[in-house]
Amino acid sequence: MYAMNLKLKGRRCIVVGGGQVAFRKVKPLLLEEAVVEVVAPRLHAGLQQLAADGRLCWRAATYRPGCLEGAFLVFCATDDPAVNRTAAAEARQRGALVNVAAPAQDSDFQVPACIRRGDFQLAVSTGGSSPAFARVLRQRLEARFSDAYGEWLQRLGVLRAELQRRPGTGRERERFWRQVLDDELLALVEQGRLEEAEAKVRNAINGFGTQS
């Protein structure tokens, strides 16, 4: 499978089904500021709350052909495989990408189990073979990758901009980052010692381009 990150802000994403699986599909879409519509006669309690808060649009009906117009992504998350297949076929005819909860092999894409720390994201995927195993691995990794990684990424963006303002070639900058992002620096980040990590990088930036 080809892994990529999609920008979903303002994109229309339709979820067919209103149960627990649909709720899991909706939450990351809202984090990415997608325009979410749920098509289902009844909703999981979590989806009910999101609808009441105005964070998604609820079409209180069973799936019918014609309700997927304008969708960028479609998630087929009912407990009826036949309905999922029918909705998936319509979505593809309309040019949308499709994720099918069951059977998973009917999907165009899989949604990995993700760890989010600000702009830092770590994804675990099993290619649909075992979503449960992906979730177990994600839980293990969550304990290792703390919120410090998100904060460090913000600092690193500022430091990268500082380096960009200094004379030098792209290859020289690439070599710089390979050298400075070493095990010692990563250990500081893991320990939450971000001030020390930042000082280490900034000192290296101050010496950038001075070597003959």
Side-chain angles (χ1 to χ4, degrees):
M1 289 191 177
Y2 186 80
M4 64 180 178
N5 293 331
L6 286 175
K7 292 183 178 180
L8 295 181
K9 184 175 182 179
R11 297 278 196 172
R12 188 172 184 224
C13 299
I14 299 179
V15 179
V16 181
Q20 176 68 35
V21 174
F23 182 48
R24 288 203 306 266
K25 304 292 186 183
V26 163
K27 290 190 291 183
L29 296 175
L30 294 176
L31 286 174
E32 298 302 324
E33 302 182 60
V35 177
V36 178
E37 179 178 338
V38 175
V39 180
R42 294 172 299 279
L43 291 183
H44 175 276
L47 290 173
Q48 288 180 359
Q49 188 60 56
L50 291 172
D53 293 341
R55 299 188 62 196
L56 60 81
C57 175
W58 175 29
R59 185 181 297 191
T62 56
Y63 163 77
R64 292 289 184 275
C67 69
L68 303 180
E69 184 177 358
F72 178 64
L73 299 181
V74 172
F75 296 81
C76 304
T78 77
D79 56 5
D80 187 333
V83 172
N84 289 342
R85 286 194 179 98
T86 301
E90 180 192 349
R92 291 191 180 96
Q93 289 175 353
R94 295 183 179 277
L97 294 174
V98 182
N99 175 267
V100 183
Q105 62 266 28
D106 288 349
S107 297
D108 295 325
F109 66 96
Q110 302 293 336
V111 180
C114 280
I115 300 167
R116 296 171 182 266
R117 302 289 186 258
D119 286 338
F120 173 78
Q121 293 188 33
L122 186 64
V124 180
S125 175
T126 58
S129 297
S130 178
F133 184 48
R135 287 195 293 272
V136 169
L137 292 176
R138 182 204 65 201
Q139 289 167 359
R140 285 182 172 239
L141 291 169
E142 279 179 333
R144 175 176 177 182
F145 293 93
S146 68
D147 291 339
Y149 280 83
E151 184 180 343
W152 171 244
L153 188 58
Q154 290 182 324
R155 296 183 184 222
L156 201 56
V158 174
L159 293 166
R160 180 173 180 268
E162 291 182 14
L163 184 69
Q164 289 293 109
R165 291 193 291 268
R166 289 178 172 267
T169 66
R171 181 169 295 181
E172 288 170 340
R173 292 188 179 90
E174 181 181 351
R175 183 167 59 249
F176 170 87
W177 289 117
R178 282 202 306 267
Q179 293 172 347
V180 77
L181 296 174
D182 57 13
D183 290 343
E184 179 184 346
L185 184 76
L186 293 180
L188 291 174
V189 175
E190 287 182 359
Q191 296 163 24
R193 296 159 61 186
L194 302 186
E195 296 292 340
E196 294 176 58
E198 182 175 344
K200 184 176 186 293
V201 176
R202 183 160 278 114
N203 287 337
I205 290 175
N206 289 336
F208 179 72
T210 61
Q211 296 87 357
S212 57

